[in-house]
Amino acid sequence: MHSDAASVKKSIRTYLTVGAALFVFTGITVAVNQIHLAVPMAITVALIIATTKGTMVASIFMHLNHEKKWIYGALLLTMIGFALVILLPLFTIGNEIGTPIETGHAAVEHAGR
């Protein structure tokens, strides 16, 4: 980036614009909270708002919009790893560990002996 007066003014304008947008999205978050949506819809809306705000913060305030492509690769790998860790409990729902071997009639007959 250049350090001349015009680029500094442009950077300040960008920071103020993103700051104002974050303020507006915070207001939207509060307003949506007052609507009392169904839980799945509320989670979806909250995640959309949080993703939008996080993207603005990461790209502008953390300067990721000026980074090299390998930074995006590392960020993508982090997101994939996070998604796998979050989804891991779904993969364990169908396992048979902890369920009794004898169920139904066999368990009743065995108890009667």
Side-chain angles (χ1 to χ4, degrees):
M1 292 186 82
H2 303 292
S3 60
D4 57 38
S7 68
V8 171
K9 283 185 179 182
K10 183 180 176 188
S11 294
I12 291 173
R13 185 177 309 134
T14 301
Y15 294 146
L16 291 174
T17 303
V18 172
L22 290 171
F23 185 73
V24 168
F25 274 100
T26 301
I28 291 170
T29 302
V30 172
V32 168
N33 185 39
Q34 300 301 317
I35 296 175
H36 301 293
L37 298 170
V39 172
M41 182 59 96
I43 291 172
T44 303
V45 171
L47 285 175
I48 289 170
I49 293 170
T51 301
T52 303
K53 289 170 69 174
T55 301
M56 285 191 287
V57 168
S59 64
I60 302 302
F61 292 117
M62 296 174 66
H63 304 286
L64 290 181
N65 57 345
H66 299 297
E67 290 296 331
K68 303 276 186 224
K69 289 186 180 185
W70 66 270
I71 291 288
Y72 294 117
L75 185 62
L76 180 64
L77 286 176
T78 303
M79 290 172 32
I80 290 170
F82 177 74
L84 289 175
V85 169
I86 293 298
L87 295 175
L88 190 61
L90 293 177
F91 299 134
T92 62
I93 290 175
N95 70 12
E96 301 292 326
I97 297 173
T99 57
I101 296 173
E102 298 178 15
T103 58
H105 274 312
V108 172
E109 290 174 9
H110 182 69
R113 290 183 188 174

